[in-house]
Amino acid sequence: MRIGAPGAEKPAVRASGSDYVDVSDLVADFDEAFFGGDGAAQLAGPVADRIAAGDVHPIGDQRIGAPIARPHQILCIGLNYSDHAAETGQAVPAEPILFTKSPNTLVGPDDDVRIPRGSTKTDWEVELGIVIGRRTSYLASVDEAAAAIAGYVLVNDVSERAFQMERGGQWVKGKSAETFNPAGPWLATPDEIPDVRNLSMWLDVNGERRQTGNTKTMIFDPFVVVHYLSQFLMLEPGDLINTGTPPGVGLGMKPPTYLQAGDVMTLGIEHLGTARQQVVGPR
């Protein structure tokens, strides 16, 4: 976890549902250097000692930031759930569809989501995020890919569909507005997830269920995704990969329904916590 005001977050480790251990004296941030240096393993002992000694702090009403510092890159996989591809009327892809998202879209799990200027079709997408744990490329197998993963995080891959699909060129235009990548509240290491291929996930808008899904309907599971991406580019420690969304997005509703200022999104993934984002209007 990272706790504090935007730009001043302190690294922390979740001790329970309501408490955390401050580790800002041990690590500067959960960034490329931390993940590349096997930081999570090195923190395990000191954190256990502090919990045993009762050196924990209440989260209370403090702001929770994204659990990782701004990554080198945010990579995204499109149409990666068979049931989501069906609701959009598109064919199941033979290979992962890759697009990028600007790293400065990353915000905290409960931060506001801002509709961009000129937007008419801002949409929601609950997703499983992968955080890379070491610099790597040309992985030889999915087993090697699993070993390169530092952890998993809840993500909302907010999208502007008109920018994405009606303005030509790359999807990145519909994915990179400010605040379009809320993440958190925490990063779970792989040993904390019983089966990443079977995680329940959901998203509500204004208290009404929009998305209900499970990672078991992924077309390309997290290990396949990391292995595949490594064949085309260098993955850096702390990189974030958004792995696609289950059905129930606004684009797939009949008629299509999109976010308006004042709407509230709540979302969650099993073992990865919940998030709440208020939608606000353009600057």
Side-chain angles (χ1 to χ4, degrees), residues 27-279:
V27 297
D29 208 345
F30 297 144
D31 54 13
E32 182 176 348
F34 172 82
F35 290 111
D38 199 20
Q42 295 183 35
L43 278 182
V47 167
D49 290 343
R50 292 182 182 187
I51 292 174
D55 186 10
V56 298
H57 309 274
I59 297 171
D61 60 358
Q62 296 183 84
R63 173 185 176 269
I64 299 174
I68 60 173
R70 182 185 294 188
H72 172 73
Q73 57 189 344
I74 299 177
L75 303 168
C76 306
I77 306 299
L79 295 177
N80 194 29
Y81 283 70
S82 56
D83 37 8
H84 172 55
E87 78 169 341
T88 62
Q90 301 184 69
V92 170
E95 296 189 35
I97 296 172
L98 171 64
F99 61 94
T100 62
K101 193 162 192 168
S102 176
N104 65 7
T105 58
L106 190 68
V107 294
D110 301 322
D111 289 346
D112 291 344
V113 166
R114 184 174 297 279
I115 294 175
R117 292 183 188 180
S119 169
T120 58
K121 298 179 180 180
T122 298
D123 205 349
W124 55 86
E125 294 189 37
V126 61
E127 302 201 7
L128 174 71
I130 300 169
V131 177
I132 295 298
R134 59 183 174 87
R135 192 170 191 263
T136 189
S137 63
Y138 299 116
L139 291 164
S141 68
V142 292
D143 289 337
E144 283 192 11
I149 295 173
Y152 302 97
V153 62
L154 168 65
V155 168
N156 190 353
D157 177 23
V158 184
S159 308
E160 211 298 333
R161 302 301 189 186
F163 297 175
Q164 177 187 356
M165 299 177 174
E166 301 169 21
R167 300 294 298 271
Q170 300 287 326
W171 284 11
V172 66
K173 289 189 292 188
K175 298 285 187 172
S176 292
E178 62 173 329
T179 75
F180 264 30
N181 208 106
W186 60 75
L187 179 145
T189 52
D191 60 292
E192 297 177 292
I193 306 296
D195 183 359
V196 74
R197 298 184 180 98
N198 185 15
L199 296 177
S200 298
M201 54 205 308
W202 57 272
L203 183 144
D204 295 348
V205 178
N206 300 329
E208 295 186 12
R209 184 58 45 93
R210 296 293 190 226
Q211 292 186 270
T212 300
N214 191 292
T215 57
K216 66 186 178 184
T217 69
M218 275 187 174
I219 300 164
F220 307 105
D221 73 33
F223 312 128
V224 171
V225 165
V226 172
H227 173 259
Y228 181 85
L229 294 182
S230 78
Q231 310 307 308
F232 300 96
L233 46 84
M234 181 70 70
L235 299 174
E236 302 282 359
D239 281 355
L240 176 62
I241 303 170
N242 296 341
T243 58
T245 197
V249 298
L251 175 67
M253 296 179 69
K254 300 187 187 312
T257 302
Y258 298 107
L259 294 167
Q260 305 293 325
D263 287 345
V264 174
M265 295 176 284
T266 52
L267 58 152
I269 297 180
E270 190 177 4
H271 302 296
L272 295 177
T274 61
R276 179 187 185 278
Q277 295 122 30
Q278 173 108 19
V279 180

